[in-house]
């Protein structure tokens, strides 16, 4: 089985897409999927039991848990540039520990791109999730049910609720702030977007870093988020 690295700027829906796919595969094939989400704020370990139709919280996730993870599929979300080598090698050891058909998936932001030679070493294919475009936002919001579910978060100052084309007005107004980041567009309110934007900007000591991927992990993550929100995923 092939292994996959899913990459792209923060907030573009990588984790959501992989999570939906994992649940689908687990149910369809009756397989067990181990999901490790690694984060400085909150790391969790979840097991999706396709045969039993259950999702279990297995506690706090650590890199050391990878090699002993149960299941036929392993997903490690939140891979950073600093730990990408140790994680990919641990996943390879997990895959090679048995003779069964097993595969692993790594989910990371664009700032955590793994070197090409490392991809070859662990037999990784790559799938890139790009930044969202205005046309994609408009297409998503063309679905009435979805639009109603995110409408409150699209509200921005200066947009009249009785506008002739309220939907287009809301999308365009929020797009000016959220840019290509779907998380800012759909999950955050206008005020939450502003707070998050300012928080990331405070971590950037030199605006040249918006064009150069240098600095510590925390600064690099913020730079990558700001670059990704502007539609620059490369």
């Amino acid at each position: 089985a092939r292994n996959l690295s899913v990459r792209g700027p923060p907030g573009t829906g990588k984790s959501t897409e992989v999570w939906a796919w994992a649940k689908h595969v687990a149910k369809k094939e009756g397989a067990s999927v181990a999901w490790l989400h690694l984060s400085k704020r909150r790391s969790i370990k979840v097991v999706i039991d396709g045969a039993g139709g259950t999702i279990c919280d297995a506690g706090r996730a650590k890199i050391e848990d990878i090699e002993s993870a149960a299941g036929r599929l392993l997903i490690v979300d939140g891979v950073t540039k600093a730990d990408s080598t140790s994680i990919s090698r641990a996943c390879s050891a997990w895959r090679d520990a048995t003779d069964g058909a097993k595969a692993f998936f790594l989910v990371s932001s664009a700032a955590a791109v793994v070197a090409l030679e490392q991809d070859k070493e662990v037999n990784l294919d790559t799938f890139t999730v790009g930044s969202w475009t205005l046309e994609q936002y408009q297409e998503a919001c063309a679905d009435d049910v979805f639009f109603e579910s995110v409408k409150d978060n699209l509200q921005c100052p200066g947009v009249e609720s009785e506008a002739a084309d309220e939907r287009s007005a809301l999308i365009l107004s929020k797009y000016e702030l959220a840019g290509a980041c779907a998380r800012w567009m759909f999950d955050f309110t206008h005020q939450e977007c502003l707070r998050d934007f300012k928080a990331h900007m405070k971590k950037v000591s030199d605006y040249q870093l918006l064009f150069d991927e240098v600095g510590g992990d925390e600064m690099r993550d913020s730079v990558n988020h700001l670059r990704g929100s502007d539609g620059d995923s490369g």
Side-chain angles (χ1 to χ4, degrees):
R2 298 293 297 180
N3 310 296
L4 184 67
S5 175
V6 181
R7 304 169 180 170
T12 51
K14 300 181 300 297
S15 298
T16 301
E17 288 187 35
V18 175
W19 175 257
W21 174 84
K23 290 175 62 180
H24 169 73
V25 170
K27 181 178 180 180
K28 180 180 179 181
E29 301 183 5
S32 178
V33 180
W35 178 292
L36 279 69
H37 179 79
L38 304 175
S39 169
K40 293 179 180 178
R41 297 178 179 85
R42 183 170 179 262
S43 294
I44 59 174
K45 180 167 52 178
V46 174
V47 176
I48 305 173
D49 180 2
T54 60
I55 299 177
C56 302
D57 185 343
R60 191 174 186 275
K62 305 183 296 295
I63 294 178
E64 294 75 18
D65 296 331
I66 292 176
E67 292 190 43
S68 61
R72 185 172 66 80
L73 297 175
L74 170 64
I75 299 170
V76 182
D77 191 4
V79 180
T80 68
K81 192 170 186 177
D83 58 26
S84 60
T85 299
S86 59
I87 288 176
S88 60
R89 287 176 176 165
C91 287
S92 291
W94 167 86
R95 176 199 60 199
D96 298 337
T98 64
D99 295 330
K102 300 166 69 175
F104 64 85
F105 302 79
L106 306 180
V107 184
S108 65
S109 70
V113 171
V114 182
L116 180 60
E117 59 271 19
Q118 185 177 324
D119 281 352
K120 293 179 179 179
E121 177 185 348
V122 297
N123 196 28
L124 271 176
D125 288 334
T126 301
F127 176 77
T128 300
V129 178
S131 298
W132 281 59
T133 65
L134 176 59
E135 290 73 20
Q136 287 174 317
Y137 288 137
Q138 292 169 331
E139 183 177 351
C141 289
D143 183 283
D144 293 337
V145 175
F146 177 76
F147 174 70
E148 289 299 324
S149 72
V150 300
K151 183 177 177 180
D152 288 345
N153 286 346
L154 294 177
Q155 300 290 338
C156 292
V159 178
E160 297 293 336
S161 59
E162 301 300 326
D165 191 351
E166 180 191 15
R167 189 172 314 206
S168 294
L170 288 173
I171 294 170
L172 287 171
S173 182
K174 187 67 179 293
Y175 180 67
E176 291 180 1
L177 175 61
C181 179
R183 182 183 299 135
W184 280 356
M185 186 73 171
F186 296 133
D187 289 347
F188 285 20
T189 65
H190 180 266
Q191 287 301 317
E192 288 170 338
C193 279
L194 287 176
R195 284 197 297 268
D196 201 42
F197 179 84
K198 291 176 181 178
H200 282 294
M201 289 298 289
K202 286 181 179 180
K203 295 177 183 177
V204 182
S205 59
D206 182 350
Y207 291 152
Q208 182 62 36
L209 297 175
L210 291 173
F211 305 97
D212 302 326
E213 291 188 26
V214 295
D217 275 348
E218 187 173 6
M219 184 183 299
R220 186 184 295 113
D221 288 345
S222 287
V223 168
N224 189 55
H225 195 120
L226 293 165
R227 292 174 72 235
S229 67
D230 192 41
D232 180 5
S233 59

